[in-house]
Amino acid sequence: DAKTTQPPSMDCAEGRAANLPCNHSTISGNEYVYWYRQIHSQGPQYIIHGLKNNETNEMASLIITEDRKSSTLILPHATLRDTAVYYCIVRGGTNFGNEKLTFGTGTRLTIIP
Amino acid sequence: EAGVAQSPRYKIIEKRQSVAFWCNPISGHATLYWYQQILGQGPKLLIQFQNNGVVDDSQLPKDRFSAERLKGVDSTLKIQPAKLEDSAVYLCASSSIQGRGEKLFFGSGTQLSVL
C-alpha cells in the first residue's frame, strides 16, 4: 500500500510556481521521499528525491518539513509540458535492490495557458 | 545514454490467447522491474529482479503470468492465457544505485488490449 497522501488534482497558471503537497505521516527514519511524474502515454520519469534536507535540481525543488511528515515539490516556472500526473513515493533507503517502489494514484497537475 | 527499450508498443489479443513483452534495460543496471498500469491507476509492481534473481514477485499472478531475465540483462514477461482484466500498460524499468538513492528509468510501455 502507498504510504503517501496527495490531492487528486491541481491547476497552475503557466509561468507560475507549481507547489505539489504530499503527506507521509508514517515515514520512518531511513525512508526517502521520491517524486516521479508521468506525462500522457509515457512511462514515469524520475524528478527528485530526498531524505531530510531540502533538495534542488534542474527540474524541481523538494522541501521536506522538519518532522518529515510532509513535503512539497516545487516546479518554479511551470510550462505546458509540465502537465502530468505527479507521484510522491516513500521508500526505504538501506537496501534499494530489495525495496519496492509503490505508486499511489498521484496528483494530476494541469498547467493552464 | 540509451533508455529502457520495450516492445511491442501495442498489442491486441483475444482472451485466452498468449502474449509476451520484451524489455532491454539500460546497460549496467542490475535491477529490473515490471509494472502493470491499469487505466486511471498508478503503476503496480508485478516483479522485481536483481541481476537474474527474483527479489519480489508477490503481486505476480503466477497462474498466468511468468517472467524471466536471462543472463541478468533482457527480460520477458508472458501472459498465458490472457483475461479481459489484463488490459493495461506494462511498464519495464531499470535502476542504478546513485549515492544516496536509487533512480528508476522507465520505458514507454506496452499497451495491451484483451478483447
Side-chain angles (χ1 to χ4, degrees), chain A residues 26-37:
Chain A
T26 61
I27 193 170
S28 60
N30 67 345
E31 290 184 315
Y32 285 75
V33 179
Y34 286 80
W35 284 84
Y36 284 76
R37 74 179 182 184

Side-chain angles (χ1 to χ4, degrees), chain B residues 5-16:
Chain B
Q6 289 190 248
S7 67
R9 187 73 175 91
Y10 303 94
K11 189 74 176 178
I12 300 174
I13 62 173
E14 297 195 349
K15 61 183 179 182
R16 291 189 289 273

Side-chain angles (χ1 to χ4, degrees), chain A residues 27-73:
Chain A
I27 193 170
S28 60
N30 67 345
E31 290 184 315
Y32 285 75
V33 179
Y34 286 80
W35 284 84
Y36 284 76
R37 74 179 182 184
Q38 189 171 24
I39 295 170
H40 183 63
S41 296
Q42 297 182 20
Q45 176 192 24
Y46 167 86
I47 301 173
I48 199 167
H49 75 278
L51 183 62
K52 54 183 178 181
N53 297 320
N54 297 338
E55 302 285 347
T56 295
N57 63 19
E58 66 280 3
M59 291 183 69
S61 295
L62 174 61
I63 309 297
I64 303 174
T65 58
E66 192 170 342
D67 63 7
R68 303 209 321 123
K69 292 185 177 181
S70 65
S71 61
T72 301
L73 178 75

Side-chain angles (χ1 to χ4, degrees), chain A residues 32 34 36 38 41-47 49-51 53 55 58 87 91 93 95-106 108, chain B residues 9 31 33 35 37 40-45 48-50 55-56 58-59 91 95 97-109:
Chain A
Y32 285 75
Y34 286 80
Y36 284 76
Q38 189 171 24
S41 296
Q42 297 182 20
Q45 176 192 24
Y46 167 86
I47 301 173
H49 75 278
L51 183 62
N53 297 320
E55 302 285 347
E58 66 280 3
Y87 297 98
R91 190 183 193 199
N95 190 355
F96 296 106
N98 291 323
E99 293 279 345
K100 289 182 189 179
L101 192 74
T102 301
F103 289 81
T105 52
R108 181 173 298 277
Chain B
R9 187 73 175 91
T31 309
Y33 308 77
Y35 282 84
Q37 186 170 25
Q41 300 180 17
K44 182 184 87 170
L45 180 67
Q48 178 179 339
F49 292 93
Q50 180 81 354
V55 172
D56 187 336
S58 58
Q59 298 192 90
L91 295 160
S95 72
I97 305 300
Q98 298 189 0
R100 299 176 292 116
E102 181 190 21
K103 182 187 296 188
L104 267 68
F105 297 84
F106 284 81
S108 296

Side-chain angles (χ1 to χ4, degrees), chain B:
Chain B
E1 64 184 354
V4 175
Q6 289 190 248
S7 67
R9 187 73 175 91
Y10 303 94
K11 189 74 176 178
I12 300 174
I13 62 173
E14 297 195 349
K15 61 183 179 182
R16 291 189 289 273
Q17 286 187 322
S18 302
V19 64
F21 313 125
W22 174 82
C23 174
N24 179 235
I26 293 173
S27 177
H29 282 191
T31 309
L32 185 147
Y33 308 77
W34 283 102
Y35 282 84
Q36 179 194 58
Q37 186 170 25
I38 293 172
L39 187 64
Q41 300 180 17
K44 182 184 87 170
L45 180 67
L46 292 176
I47 189 166
Q48 178 179 339
F49 292 93
Q50 180 81 354
N51 296 308
N52 59 352
V54 175
V55 172
D56 187 336
D57 62 357
S58 58
Q59 298 192 90
L60 187 73
K62 299 180 186 63
D63 58 334
R64 299 184 299 107
F65 285 65
S66 64
E68 62 181 5
R69 190 182 184 195
L70 299 177
K71 301 181 182 178
V73 182
D74 291 5
S75 178
T76 56
L77 176 69
K78 297 179 181 178
I79 307 175
Q80 181 180 8
K83 293 185 175 182
L84 297 177
E85 58 261 36
D86 298 331
S87 293
V89 175
Y90 291 84
L91 295 160
C92 179
S94 67
S95 72
S96 63
I97 305 300
Q98 298 189 0
R100 299 176 292 116
E102 181 190 21
K103 182 187 296 188
L104 267 68
F105 297 84
F106 284 81
S108 296
T110 295
Q111 185 171 328
L112 174 68
S113 297
V114 182
L115 306 179

